[in-house]
C-alpha cells in the first residue's frame, strides 16, 4: 500500500491467481483491489468544482455527494452522488498529483526489469514500456468515457453484427459530465467480486454449495460471453478486469466498471486469436496442431530468445497457457507453472501489449473459476464466437464495421430510423447468409483435406 500505483496494480493481478499462490497470500493481496487510503473529501470536492462547475458551488449539478468514497484505487477514487434531476451517479476523480508518481514508478520498474533480465520468467522490460505508452489513456477520463461506450456496444453485439442482450452491465458516462480529471457515470449498486465470499456468507450461502456453484457459473458465463464478444465483435477489450472492477448486482447480474485501460485488436489480430482459440479448444498434442498454434503466436508478434530446442513447442505452450484447458499437457516438456524453470514464459523475448491485456482476461476467468471451484473452459466457450468471427472477417465483398461503430450501438431512442423492412436490406441479408454458408463449407472441406493429408503422412 505504501508503494502505491503500479505496485498496487501488480498486487491486484496476483490476488486473483489462487492457482499459483496459497490462500493466505491471495486473501491478503485482495485488500489492494478496492481499499486503498482515500484522498480527503475536501480535496475531492475542490477538484470536481474546478472541473465541472468553473470553481463554483457543486449544487449547480449535484444535489448530494457522499464524503465517504465507494472505492479507492491506485489512480482514482469514486464517490456516490445524486444529480439535481434525482439520478443516482458515480463520480470518479483522479487522485491529485498522481501522474508524476506513476511515471516514476514505471521508470523504476523498467530499471528493475533491465537489471533482472534473464532471471525472471518473462522479460518485463517491453511490458513496462507498453504500460508507459498506455498511461495517457488511463490518466484521461475523456478517453475512458469513450471507451465505456465502445465496451458497452461491443458486449451487445455478436461477431456477425447482430444486436443481442448484454451479458453484463457497463456503466455509461453522463453526457457532458466528463473531463480529463472527473467522470460522472451511471451508478451500479452491488458487491465487488473481491468481497463476494464475505457477502455470500452474510446471506448464508457457501460458494461450494449448489446455490454457490450456480451463482459462480452465472458470473463466469457473463464474463466469458462479454469478453468473447469484445474480442470478436469489435476487438475492443476492457484491459483491467481485476475483481475490484467486477460487481455482482441483485439477482446475480454482473457489472464491469473502469474502462480506463483498453486495447484494440485489429482485423488480422482478431483472426489470429480466433485461429488460436479454435486450435486450443480441440488440441490433441499432434505435431500439426503444435505448429498451427505456434504460427498464430509468432504472427501476433511474440518473439523468443535464441537457443530453443523446439521453438514451435515453446510457442504452442504460450498459446495453451492463455487459452488451453486447465489439465492440458504442454508440448516439449514445458510446465504450466509460471515460476518453474521449464515455464514457456521464461523464453519470451517480446510480448505485444494487446496480447498482455487479452491474457489478463483469460487469466482472470481461470482465476475466478478456480476461486469459485467451478470447472470452466475459456477455449470451448469462445470457440463458437471465433468461428463467427472468421466468417465475418473473411468476407471479400464487405468490410464489416466494428460493433461500436454500428447504428445499433447507439441508444435505441437516438437511432431514429424506420423499423420497416426494405427489400434491399432483406436481399443483403440473404446474400450474407449464402456467403457465410459458402465460407463455412469451404473451411470444413479444407479441414477434412488437411486431416487426410496428415493421416497419410
Amino acid at each position: 500500500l505504501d508503494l502505491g500505483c503500479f505496485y498496487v496494480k501488480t498486487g491486484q493481478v496476483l490476488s486473483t491467481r489462487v492457482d499459483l499462490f496459497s490462500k493466505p497470500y491471495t486473501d491478503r493481496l485482495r485488500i489492494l483491489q478496492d481499499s486503498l487510503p482515500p484522498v480527503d473529501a475536501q480535496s475531492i470536492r475542490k477538484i470536481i468544482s474546478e472541473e465541472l462547475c468553473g470553481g463554483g458551488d457543486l449544487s449547480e449539478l449535484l444535489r448530494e455527494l457522499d464524503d465517504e468514497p465507494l472505492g479507492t484505487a491506485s489512480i482514482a477514487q469514486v464517490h456516490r452522488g445524486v444529480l439535481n434531476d434525482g439520478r443516482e451517479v458515480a463520480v470518479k476523480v483522479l487522485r491529485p498529483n498522481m501522474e508524476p508518481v506513476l511515471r516514476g514508478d514505471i521508470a523504476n520498474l523498467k530499471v528493475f526489469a533491465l537489471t533482472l533480465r534473464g532471471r525472471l520468467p518473462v522479460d518485463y522490460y517491453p511490458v513496462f514500456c507498453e504500460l508507459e505508452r498506455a498511461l495517457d489513456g488511463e490518466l484521461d477520463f475523456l478517453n475512458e468515457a469513450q471507451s465505456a461506450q465502445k465496451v458497452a456496444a461491443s458486449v451487445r453485439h455478436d461477431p456477425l453484427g447482430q444486436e443481442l442482450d448484454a451479458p453484463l452491465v457497463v456503466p455509461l458516462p453522463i453526457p457532458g459530465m466528463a473531463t480529463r480529471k472527473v467522470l460522472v457515470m451511471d451508478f451500479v449498486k452491488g458487491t465487488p467480486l473481491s468481497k463476494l465470499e464475505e457477502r455470500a456468507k452474510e446471506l448464508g450461502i457457501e460458494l461450494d454449495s449448489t446455490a454457490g456453484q450456480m451463482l459462480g457459473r452465472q458470473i463466469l458465463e457473463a464474463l466469458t460471453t462479454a469478453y468473447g464478444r469484445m474480442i470478436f465483435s469489435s476487438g475492443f477489450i476492457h484491459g483491467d478486469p481485476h475483481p475490484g472492477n467486477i460487481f455482482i448486482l441483485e439477482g446475480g447480474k454482473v457489472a464491469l466498471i473502469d474502462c480506463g485501460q483498453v486495447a484494440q485488436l485489429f482485423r488480422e489480430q482478431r483472426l489470429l486469436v480466433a485461429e488460436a482459440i479454435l486450435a486450443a479448444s480441440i488440441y490433441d498434442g499432434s505435431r500439426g496442431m503444435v505448429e498451427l498454434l505456434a504460427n498464430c503466436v509468432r504472427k501476433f508478434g511474440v518473439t523468443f530468445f535464441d537457443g530453443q530446442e523446439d521453438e514451435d513447442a515453446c510457442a504452442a505452450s504460450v498459446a495453451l497457457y492463455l487459452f488451453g484447458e486447465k489439465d492440458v499437457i504442454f508440448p516439449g516438456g514445458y510446465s504450466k507453472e509460471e515460476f518453474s524453470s521449464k515455464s514457456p514464459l521464461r523464453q519470451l523475448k517480446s510480448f505485444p501489449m494487446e496480447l498482455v491485456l487479452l491474457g489478463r482476461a483469460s487469466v482472470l476467468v481461470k482465476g475466478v473459476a478456480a476461486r469459485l471451484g467451478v470447472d470452466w473452459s475459456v477455449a470451448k466457450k469462445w470457440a463458437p464466437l471465433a468461428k463467427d468471427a472468421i466468417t465475418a472477417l473473411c468476407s471479400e465483398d464487405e468490410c464489416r464495421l466494428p460493433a461500436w461503430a454500428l447504428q445499433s450501438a447507439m441508444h435505441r431512442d437516438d437511432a431514429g430510423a424506420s423499423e420497416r423492412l426494405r427489400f434491399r436490406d432483406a436481399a443483403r441479408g440473404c446474400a450474407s447468409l449464402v456467403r457465410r454458408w459458402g465460407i463455412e463449407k469451404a473451411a470444413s472441406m479444407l479441414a477434412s483435406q488437411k486431416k487426410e493429408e496428415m493421416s497419410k503422412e
Side-chain angles (χ1 to χ4, degrees), residues 162-434:
Q162 301 298 313
E163 187 175 14
L164 305 169
D165 290 335
L168 48 69
V169 175
V170 179
L172 291 174
I174 303 300
M177 294 192 188
T179 72
R180 290 191 76 248
K181 296 180 180 180
V182 175
L183 175 60
V184 184
M185 52 197 159
D186 297 335
F187 180 80
V188 292
K189 186 176 182 180
T191 302
L193 187 59
S194 55
K195 296 180 179 177
L196 179 63
E197 203 167 342
E198 295 92 322
R199 179 58 178 157
K201 286 180 180 178
E202 289 174 10
L203 297 173
I205 301 172
E206 294 293 334
L207 291 182
D208 57 358
S209 66
T210 301
Q213 290 284 295
M214 287 178 63
L215 175 61
R217 289 188 174 277
Q218 188 175 344
I219 294 168
L220 287 166
E221 187 68 44
L223 290 171
T224 308
T225 301
Y227 269 93
R229 290 183 188 173
M230 281 186 246
I231 294 165
F232 297 117
S233 75
S234 67
F236 196 80
I237 305 168
H238 181 293
D240 196 15
H242 67 77
N245 283 342
I246 299 164
F247 277 63
I248 312 305
L249 312 182
E250 189 175 346
K253 198 167 180 64
V254 178
L256 184 62
I257 68 170
D258 192 355
C259 296
Q261 193 171 130
V262 293
Q264 177 68 63
L265 299 177
F266 294 99
R267 182 180 183 276
E268 292 303 319
Q269 292 172 317
R270 285 154 66 193
L271 283 172
L272 288 171
V273 172
E275 289 177 24
I277 286 170
L278 288 173
S281 68
I282 57 171
Y283 177 73
D284 58 7
S286 66
R287 192 64 198 175
M289 199 65 77
V290 168
E291 291 174 357
L292 176 59
L293 283 169
N295 286 335
C296 289
V297 168
R298 279 192 290 257
K299 286 178 182 177
F300 209 101
V302 177
T303 61
F304 299 86
F305 292 116
D306 295 333
Q308 304 298 317
E309 290 183 14
D310 187 348
E311 188 175 286
D312 281 351
C314 185
S317 295
V318 171
L320 292 171
Y321 167 78
L322 292 174
F323 309 119
E325 305 295 319
K326 68 176 183 178
D327 56 352
V328 68
I329 298 174
F330 287 1
Y334 285 101
S335 172
K336 289 184 286 186
E337 301 297 328
E338 291 180 24
F339 297 103
S340 166
S341 60
K342 289 293 290 178
S343 169
L345 303 183
R346 283 186 173 272
Q347 311 306 322
L348 292 173
K349 186 177 181 181
S350 64
F351 200 74
M353 186 61 187
E354 295 86 357
L355 209 52
V356 170
L357 298 184
L358 179 58
R360 285 174 73 173
S362 65
V363 165
L364 167 90
V365 173
K366 290 180 181 181
V368 171
R371 179 173 287 279
L372 298 177
V374 177
D375 191 23
W376 202 256
S377 170
V378 172
K380 283 187 169 61
K381 291 288 183 179
W382 283 349
L385 292 169
K387 289 178 182 177
D388 282 346
I390 291 173
T391 300
L393 293 170
C394 286
S395 172
E396 294 181 0
D397 298 335
E398 179 183 11
C399 289
R400 194 179 300 275
L401 284 171
W404 43 261
L406 297 171
Q407 282 189 326
S408 55
M410 297 185 293
H411 293 296
R412 287 184 177 87
D413 292 341
D414 298 331
S418 171
E419 294 297 322
R420 183 171 57 86
L421 179 65
R422 294 187 175 92
F423 174 78
R424 66 172 179 271
D425 295 328
R428 188 182 298 118
C430 291
S432 178
L433 285 172
V434 171

Side-chain angles (χ1 to χ4, degrees), residues 1-257:
L1 283 173
D2 291 339
L3 290 172
C5 296
F6 268 92
Y7 302 101
V8 170
K9 280 192 168 292
T10 302
Q12 290 170 347
V13 174
L14 294 179
S15 70
T16 68
R17 300 308 308 276
V18 295
D19 52 333
L20 291 178
F21 303 102
S22 60
K23 193 171 185 296
Y25 291 103
T26 55
D27 284 349
R28 185 63 176 166
L29 288 169
R30 281 164 64 193
I31 66 171
L32 300 176
Q33 289 171 3
D34 56 7
S35 303
L36 299 183
V39 177
D40 65 275
Q42 185 176 354
S43 298
I44 292 297
R45 287 175 175 273
K46 183 180 178 183
I47 294 170
I48 299 172
S49 168
E50 291 173 349
E51 293 292 313
L52 295 180
C53 304
D57 198 278
L58 294 185
S59 61
E60 290 185 32
L61 297 175
L62 292 162
R63 183 187 300 172
E64 297 176 25
L65 182 69
D66 293 350
D67 287 341
E68 190 73 22
L70 295 168
T72 53
S74 53
I75 291 177
Q77 65 187 51
V78 180
H79 293 252
R80 174 196 162 275
V82 178
L83 296 178
N84 286 342
D85 64 2
R87 278 180 290 171
E88 200 170 15
V89 292
V91 185
K92 184 173 181 178
V93 183
L94 188 71
R95 294 169 76 97
N97 305 314
M98 191 50 54
E99 184 166 354
V101 178
L102 284 165
R103 303 264 182 212
D105 281 352
I106 295 185
N108 290 333
L109 289 168
K110 286 166 66 179
V111 171
F112 294 150
L114 282 174
T115 303
L116 298 174
R117 208 174 219 173
R119 286 177 257 177
L120 294 174
V122 181
D123 180 7
Y124 285 100
Y125 182 75
V127 174
F128 292 137
C129 289
E130 291 285 356
L131 285 172
E132 188 174 35
R133 283 191 283 272
L135 259 186
D136 290 339
E138 269 203 280
L139 294 171
D140 186 346
F141 290 166
L142 288 171
N143 283 338
E144 181 174 340
Q146 185 183 60
S147 295
Q149 292 172 325
K150 286 185 173 183
V151 169
S154 297
V155 302
R156 291 203 328 268
H157 291 82
D158 69 11
L160 300 172
Q162 301 298 313
E163 187 175 14
L164 305 169
D165 290 335
L168 48 69
V169 175
V170 179
L172 291 174
I174 303 300
M177 294 192 188
T179 72
R180 290 191 76 248
K181 296 180 180 180
V182 175
L183 175 60
V184 184
M185 52 197 159
D186 297 335
F187 180 80
V188 292
K189 186 176 182 180
T191 302
L193 187 59
S194 55
K195 296 180 179 177
L196 179 63
E197 203 167 342
E198 295 92 322
R199 179 58 178 157
K201 286 180 180 178
E202 289 174 10
L203 297 173
I205 301 172
E206 294 293 334
L207 291 182
D208 57 358
S209 66
T210 301
Q213 290 284 295
M214 287 178 63
L215 175 61
R217 289 188 174 277
Q218 188 175 344
I219 294 168
L220 287 166
E221 187 68 44
L223 290 171
T224 308
T225 301
Y227 269 93
R229 290 183 188 173
M230 281 186 246
I231 294 165
F232 297 117
S233 75
S234 67
F236 196 80
I237 305 168
H238 181 293
D240 196 15
H242 67 77
N245 283 342
I246 299 164
F247 277 63
I248 312 305
L249 312 182
E250 189 175 346
K253 198 167 180 64
V254 178
L256 184 62
I257 68 170

Side-chain angles (χ1 to χ4, degrees), residues 390-392 394-396 434-444:
I390 291 173
T391 300
C394 286
S395 172
E396 294 181 0
V434 171
R435 184 164 58 250
R436 178 182 176 186
W437 174 84
I439 292 172
E440 289 184 343
K441 188 72 174 174
S444 176

